[in-house]
Structure formats: structure tokens, C-alpha cells
Amino acid sequence: PGQLAGIPGYPCYRTVEETYAAAQALVAAYPSLATFTDVGDTWEKGETGGAAGYDLMVLKLTNSAVEGDKPALVATSAIHAREYTTAELTTRFAEYLLSNYGVDADATWLLDYHEIHLMLHANPDGRKQAETGISWRKNVNNNFCSNSDLRGIDLNRNFEYLWGCCGGSSGSSCSETFRGPSAASEPETDAIQAYLRATFPDQRGSGINDPAPEDATGIYLDIHSYSELVLWPWGFDNILAPNGQALQTLGRRLAYSNGYFPEQAIGLYPTDGTTDDFAYGELGVAAYTYELGTAFFQSCSTFENTVLPDNLPSLLYAAKTVRTPYLTPSGPEAVELSLDNAGVPAGEPVTLMARVDDSFFSNSNGTEPTQDVAAAEYYIDTPPWAGGAPVGMAASDGAFDATSEMVEAVVDT
């Protein structure tokens, strides 16, 4: 009673219209950091000639004043309509990055040197159905299981890569996992595929066993709920993906950040025609599915107190590793950065300190190997990939001989 915004009974989750309005407000407030672009139409918009349905919109975050090669993190959310937490999490992620630009060093660095692409609602037609309290999963294509609450296509079984190959989807039109009449038959699927192809280079061969190169760039995340999982390809078979070890290493890093269980996607159940198998299988992109929380219609208290604070650090970690996701997670993490003086006159030395640690993996599903820290460096103004000059740091205890080391250096200001 008295609720003025949000999904009825769930004021923390913005409706489709409120989410789009929030994105447009971010663009207005941060015009050099954000754009909101129409990348396609939903089934209903195409079917009705625009009288109903929605545009598929992508919120892109980057500092347009900084030029250069910028690796991309692309995330889709709410492709399954009833999963309330997903679009709100990615919207809050965007708001966090923009509101902290110029205030927080990580948010500033991420937007200066990276691109963050967020399709906040990948299935807005279906979400409008779910906003009424219906447990709606698919899009609203009324040509299949017509005029019922089970109509439509499961968009996360409709992608081209090994579509319908392996018993991980259904050919029955009223099934919740109905894969559709053909691969990428749905305009929502087609729009997402086209956007991924336009954003990421093709970095993998056509053979099932062809790996992407170790220095391949880019990360794709598909945000779902629920089960508290971090999943990676393959979902269609229990064979190891060609980059399976590197996918597992990054997956265990991501799961360390949110406390979720990391596993290959088929460990949940077999799937085919999915977003992450497409992104990795066709393009070689490091691709993951997050399963947030413990319910489709998650309570607002759980979202605000658990799902959101647990997963923002995981999304930030993904963004930090996006330049070389098959390499960076295998090295140690630099945390607890500090200076011995918050401010010094120009020209005075200041000591930079940090902890460098190689143990930040989830070991709830196997143990990730760790190694002793071998070195630490810092850069000023120009990052290493842009030709910045490294300055070595010393182990505080005099020797690099442990998986966790305090390091320091006197910085000449």
C-alpha cells in the first residue's frame, strides 16, 4: 500500500520504464561517460509495428575523452523475465561506476581505459508480464503455445551456437525451455548476437577444440537468478572447453568475490543454444553466467543486504581483468593500497604500500593452484599497455618468497 515506484510488492526493483528512464538520466548527468543506444526491437514491437513492445537498449560506459584501445565488458540481464534481481544489479553497477568517477580510483581507471556495455533488459516484453507477478520466463512470441502464459521462446536456448544439439533444450512449444523453430529465430536473440559480434573480434577458430589465444580480450556476462553460482562453458557437454583451465581460474576469482559456487555450466544441468556458449564458442570471449541469490522474486531485503553487496565486487573484478581474462587472473591481486601520507607538497617523497596476494580463489569446487609472488611494479599516469614505464617495488620483509607479500616503494612526486 502506498508504493509509488518499482514492481508491485518489490519497490527495490525498477520497472522496464523506470530502468530505461534511469539510464537516460545517467546519460544526461554524465554525457561524456555514458550513451544509451537502441540496438534492436523485441518480438512484440516488431509484430505490432511499434504499437507495443520495446526497443532493446544498451547503456555504454566509457570516458569518451580518453582515446585508445579499450577492451570491453558486455553484460546482459533479465533475458529470463521473472528473474527480478538481474536488471537492478546491472543498473546499480552502472550508477556505482558513474557516481564514483573522479572520486574512486578504480571506477575512474575502469571508465578511462575500458568499455562497459550493459543491456539492462534483454527481454523487456517478457519482463512486463513478470511485473504483474506471473512467473514468466520466455519472450512473448504468440505463434507458439499461443494465447497462454507459457507462450514464447526461451531466449537462452535460441542462440545459434550448437542450437538444439544435445538435449539441453526442448522442442515442445509450451515448455519453459522451448528453443524456438530455428536458431536465432527471435529478434531479441538476433540483436544480442549482432551486438556481440560488433563489439568483440572473432578470436577462436571454428573447430570445437580450437582455443582462443592466451591474450584474447573481452568478457561477456549473462546475469540470471537463482542458485548462487558462477558458470562457464561448456553447457552442452561435460568436455573441457579449449580454454577451460583459464575459464575456471577466472571463474574461481569471480566466485571468490561473491561467495558463489564456481563450476562448468553443465554441472547445473545440460543446456544448448545459450548466450555464454555462443559468446565463447563463436568469438572466443571469456563468457560466464551468474545465478544470483536464492529466488526468482527475491525479497528486497535480501537483494539490498546480500545480493547487491556480494556481487558489485565480482562485477568490478570482471571489469578489471577484461583486457586479458585468460592471463590476468593467473597472477596475484594487488589490494590494500595505501600511502604513508595522505598528501605531500609537490616534490616530497611518499611511500606507496600494498598487499600482493595469489590466494583469492574460491576453492569450494576443487583447489586452484597458487604460487609465490615474484615481483610487483607500479606505474604513474600511463598504464603498461599504453607504454607506461614500470617502477619496481620491494617486498617489505626483504624477500619475495610467499603467496602473500606486503610490498612498498618510495614514490618521487
Side-chain angles (χ1 to χ4, degrees):
Q3 183 181 331
L4 300 177
I7 296 173
Y10 298 87
C12 63
Y13 303 123
R14 281 168 275 203
T15 64
V16 174
E17 290 79 8
E18 289 166 347
T19 302
Y20 281 14
Q24 290 162 345
L26 290 173
V27 173
Y30 305 96
S32 66
L33 299 177
T35 58
F36 196 45
T37 304
D38 181 356
V39 300
D41 294 338
T42 61
W43 180 86
E44 192 166 35
K45 184 165 188 178
E47 185 72 10
T48 64
Y54 293 88
D55 295 318
L56 294 169
M57 305 293 295
V58 171
L59 180 63
K60 177 183 174 182
L61 310 179
T62 193
N63 184 351
S64 59
V66 177
E67 298 180 349
D69 172 36
K70 294 186 178 183
L73 170 69
V74 177
T76 51
S77 43
I79 198 168
H80 288 154
R82 64 194 177 193
E83 298 170 4
Y84 278 1
T85 55
T86 59
E88 189 62 30
L89 173 66
T90 50
T91 305
R92 302 281 188 104
F93 180 46
E95 291 170 337
Y96 174 87
L97 289 171
L98 293 171
S99 65
N100 281 283
Y101 184 84
V103 178
D104 175 79
D106 278 340
T108 306
W109 164 65
L110 288 173
L111 294 187
D112 279 348
Y113 295 108
H114 304 74
E115 295 177 356
I116 313 292
H117 304 246
L118 305 172
M119 185 179 283
L120 305 172
H121 277 290
N123 180 13
D125 289 353
R127 171 52 72 93
K128 288 315 292 183
Q129 299 293 328
E131 286 175 9
T132 68
I134 301 172
S135 185
W136 197 284
R137 175 182 169 99
K138 301 189 281 185
N139 74 350
V140 301
N141 188 334
N142 200 40
N143 295 320
F144 302 92
C145 203
S146 305
N147 303 318
S148 77
D149 289 350
L150 292 173
R151 71 181 185 271
I153 313 300
D154 181 352
L155 298 175
N156 200 32
R157 301 294 185 274
N158 188 237
F159 281 72
E160 285 179 5
Y161 193 79
L162 296 181
W163 175 83
C165 73
C166 309
S169 58
S170 175
S172 173
S173 63
C174 293
S175 168
E176 286 198 328
T177 60
F178 176 49
R179 58 182 169 262
S182 60
S185 61
E186 303 312 288
E188 297 93 341
T189 307
D190 188 57
I192 295 169
Q193 289 189 164
Y195 196 82
L196 293 177
R197 287 169 173 150
T199 303
F200 296 118
D202 186 350
Q203 303 168 99
R204 203 179 84 83
S206 58
I208 194 71
N209 295 317
D210 292 341
E214 283 192 338
D215 62 352
T217 187
I219 292 177
Y220 169 69
L221 304 177
D222 194 15
I223 311 298
H224 287 254
S225 73
Y226 61 95
S227 288
E228 298 184 332
L229 299 170
V230 174
L231 309 171
W232 56 86
W234 301 113
F236 70 88
D237 195 284
N238 60 13
I239 61 172
L240 193 68
N243 297 96
Q245 287 299 130
L247 288 166
Q248 176 177 270
T249 297
L250 175 52
R252 286 173 169 169
R253 289 281 194 201
L254 298 172
Y256 178 88
S257 297
N258 61 14
Y260 287 3
F261 188 80
E263 64 178 338
Q264 187 176 325
I266 198 169
L268 182 59
Y269 42 70
T271 58
D272 50 38
T274 59
T275 54
D276 49 4
D277 275 6
F278 171 83
Y280 173 73
E282 176 161 318
L283 302 172
V285 174
Y288 295 84
T289 292
Y290 281 41
E291 293 283 357
L292 306 177
T294 57
F296 294 137
F297 293 3
Q298 192 84 65
S299 71
C300 281
S301 61
T302 300
F303 175 77
E304 298 284 5
N305 297 321
T306 304
V307 174
L308 177 63
D310 284 355
N311 282 281
L312 273 181
S314 191
L315 295 177
L316 288 167
Y317 185 84
K320 289 180 180 183
T321 61
V322 74
R323 184 171 294 275
T324 50
Y326 297 136
L327 289 174
T328 302
S330 295
E333 301 303 311
V335 296
E336 300 174 14
L337 274 68
S338 65
L339 301 173
D340 69 345
N341 195 333
V344 298
E348 292 292 317
V350 64
T351 299
L352 169 66
M353 296 164 287
R355 181 159 65 97
V356 182
D357 196 308
D358 194 45
S359 66
F360 297 158
F361 297 102
S362 170
N363 290 316
S364 58
N365 181 22
T367 301
E368 189 70 20
T370 59
Q371 57 197 334
D372 289 350
V373 175
E377 300 167 344
Y378 73 87
Y379 297 76
I380 292 182
D381 292 334
T382 306
W385 58 83
V391 183
M393 303 182 74
S396 299
D397 64 1
F400 285 107
D401 56 5
T403 58
S404 180
E405 294 278 1
M406 295 302 300
V407 298
E408 59 188 60
V410 177
V411 178
D412 179 359
T413 69

